[in-house]
Amino acid sequence: MNPMPLVALAGSPNAGKSALFNALTGARQKVANYPGVTVERHSGRTSLPDGRPFELVDLPGAYSLDPGSPDEAVTRDVLLGTQEGERRPDALLIVVDAGNLDHHLRFALQLIALGIPAVLSLNMIDMAERDGLELDAGALAAELGIPVIPTVAVRRRGIEEVKEKLAEALARKPVTPPETQEAFVKVQRRARAIAQKAVISERPVVQATSRIDAIALHPVGGIVLLLVLFFLMFQAVFAWSEAPMGWIEAGQGALQEVFTGLLPEGFLRSLIVDGVIAGVGSVVVFLPQILVLFLFILILEASGYMARAAFLMDKLMAHVGLNGRAFIPLLSSFACAIPGIMATRTIDDPKQRLTTILIAPMMTCSARLPVYGLIINNVIPARALGWGIGLQGLVWFGLYIAGIVGSVLVAFVFRKTIAKSANTGFLMELPRYQMPRIGDILIGLWQRAWVFLRRAGTIIMSVTIALWLLTSYPQAPEGSGLRQSEYSIAGRIASGLEVIVRPIGFNHDMALAIIPAMAAREVAVSALATVYSINETDEEKAEETLGQQIAKDWSFPTALAFLAWFVFAPQCLSTIAVIRRETNGWKWPAFTLAYLFGLAYVAAGATYWGAIALGL
Ligand SMILES: Nc1nc2c(ncn2[C@@H]2O[C@H](COP(=O)(O)OP(=O)(O)OP(=O)(O)O)[C@@H](O)[C@H]2O)c(=O)[nH]1
Ligand SMILES: [Mg+2]
């Protein structure tokens, strides 16, 4: 039996390949309005109009067949059939951006020359029309010698036709390509000539894109705009999430009451009420803040603004020896360092890539949000500083900036020492601005929420239960006046660590919380919740929320030191595992652990003693 036919999606970055992949297969691959989003091969199944199934693979975008970076190498190897364990595709679906035909046809021409039966999707035809460009698909097909179908991937326009033409292409035999590839300069010239022939009419319209860019890319105005946007984002994180956080807390309280009423006093009740509900609930309550933050990030990404931010940062990053390509991986690290580190595959220079991998864990990932939120919401006064600026939002903004500044300084040092290489320039095509589609944003938010809740229900819940057991036993003798969290197994282990972290202002509860938080940062919060609810014996005190207890028990310098610790500490085993995978060995993950813990220790200590010196 013949294996299922294989079709590969290929084309220049940001042409809409993943959007087309999603439209064809019903998958939900990440699409975003900047180049370099897809860095791995993804595949999915779908069927031809006659019902025959075929496999579709979405490849990272590339500018040519000579691989510049690891992700482009994936694309080339798959297309040439030299990728290990991978069949050569039976047909290609080449995607080009209709509004950027001249550039995108270069790679398309190289692809066609491979001799694999191909179909061309003339994508983003809606945007081309908006910008006053009318193209002749028939003329283009005649020039290229393959079928050309105008498509709007995000509105599923042209999808059925693409399938029909793919069915025909799959019936054709591949031809043997010529021995030598045409010189790239020649390809370039041919691409331009063909693109010109395909134009029916071009109405010069003053493009919104260039008008917005006059401000957004301005060397001074652009940076100011960037800072203002991010600043507003953090203010909104507080302003908009207060009410829903209250609802979640109320729900959690109600649930605890239900179980307290349902279960007899004892092991099970304590496990469920103090362990699971208190622990997991203390993390879940931060969902609204995370969603508000991502609402902003997703809108900025989809509109095309983030690519401008990358462009602006390029100049600044050049000073520390990184190019603008590092911006997108670092940007994704704000959600989570894991995809961020994987996205460094778009960086061609190995030393620049290594540096970016090493600093990615310093970007404020969403796992830190519950920790920051817990401290800021409860220890930093909700004071207005005038002009609608709140102190809490300002501190939050400051923590993000601290991570960024720290990473910039570290990158500078690494590029001068352990990761030396020449600085290379950065060429990034800026996408056109687009109105974000509400559906896309909602799906993005849903995916974020799902990742967060799944973590809460799996890793955070299991670590919390384990910690609950370790802090519940052995039980402190009644009336001894000993604190359960110190008497227990976990407490005794924490007492060992406390010796090391006391000089930076940490107390016993914090020492206890940061050990299980190695598994995931959010666990620091659920661990504190568990510790406090286990320690509470008299009923009245148990009414207090975790936040109120922290506000009462922790001194201001101690709370600040805890925040500073979490800016840098590499408390995430999955990130370390990904660094190992991406650098092929234990050397760099070990190095990352060492330098980040060192940095966290110094930063927390400096914060603590600094705050004391200032009399805070
Ligand atoms: N208006 C419009 N936007 C589109 C169309 N196709 C894709 N987009 C948008 O264009 C952007 C890029 O799409 P992607 O599918 O991520 O592009 P890609 O080719 O996979 O990019 P890389 O993975 O970076 O190579 C996204 O913002 C999409 O929503 C289209 O036909 N019309
Ligand atoms: Mg993609």
Side-chain angles (χ1 to χ4, degrees), residues 219-238:
V220 180
I223 301 277
V224 172
L225 180 68
L226 184 69
L227 288 175
V228 167
L229 282 174
F230 277 73
F231 182 78
L232 288 178
M233 174 162 97
F234 290 114
Q235 294 293 324
V237 164
F238 279 91

Side-chain angles (χ1 to χ4, degrees), residues 380-415:
I380 307 291
R383 205 185 308 140
L385 300 178
W387 300 316
I389 299 172
L391 181 61
Q392 292 183 325
L394 194 67
V395 171
W396 200 294
F397 181 60
L399 289 170
Y400 272 75
I401 297 288
I404 295 169
V405 170
S407 68
V408 164
L409 295 177
V410 168
F412 182 73
V413 174
F414 285 176
R415 290 286 288 147

Side-chain angles (χ1 to χ4, degrees), residues 331-344:
L331 181 72
S332 356
S333 301
F334 280 101
C336 174
I338 295 164
I341 287 167
M342 282 163 53
T344 61

Side-chain angles (χ1 to χ4, degrees), residues 14 16-19 29-32 36-39 58-61:
N14 211 41
K17 296 176 296 300
S18 300
Q29 275 308 322
K30 180 165 169 95
V31 284
V37 177
T38 309
V39 291
D58 180 20
L59 295 173

Side-chain angles (χ1 to χ4, degrees), residues 502-515:
R502 187 162 284 287
I504 59 171
F506 284 18
N507 57 34
H508 187 270
D509 299 334
M510 292 156 82
L512 200 156
I514 59 178
I515 302 173

Side-chain angles (χ1 to χ4, degrees), residues 243-322:
M245 286 177 81
W247 305 333
I248 296 178
E249 263 171 4
Q252 182 194 338
L255 209 58
Q256 276 172 316
E257 252 168 56
V258 169
F259 278 93
T260 310
L262 227 55
L263 298 168
E265 165 134 36
F267 172 84
L268 193 62
R269 173 154 110 189
S270 175
L271 171 65
I272 292 186
V273 176
D274 301 335
V276 177
I277 305 180
V280 176
S282 65
V283 172
V284 170
V285 73
F286 294 99
L287 182 63
Q289 290 189 333
I290 288 180
L291 291 184
V292 174
L293 186 68
F294 280 99
L295 174 69
F296 275 81
I297 293 184
L298 288 168
I299 291 176
L300 291 179
E301 275 187 359
S303 67
Y305 178 77
M306 281 303 188
R308 270 70 190 182
F311 191 85
L312 280 175
M313 296 319 272
D314 183 41
K315 287 209 189 74
L316 295 180
M317 304 226 290
H319 293 298
V320 298
L322 289 178

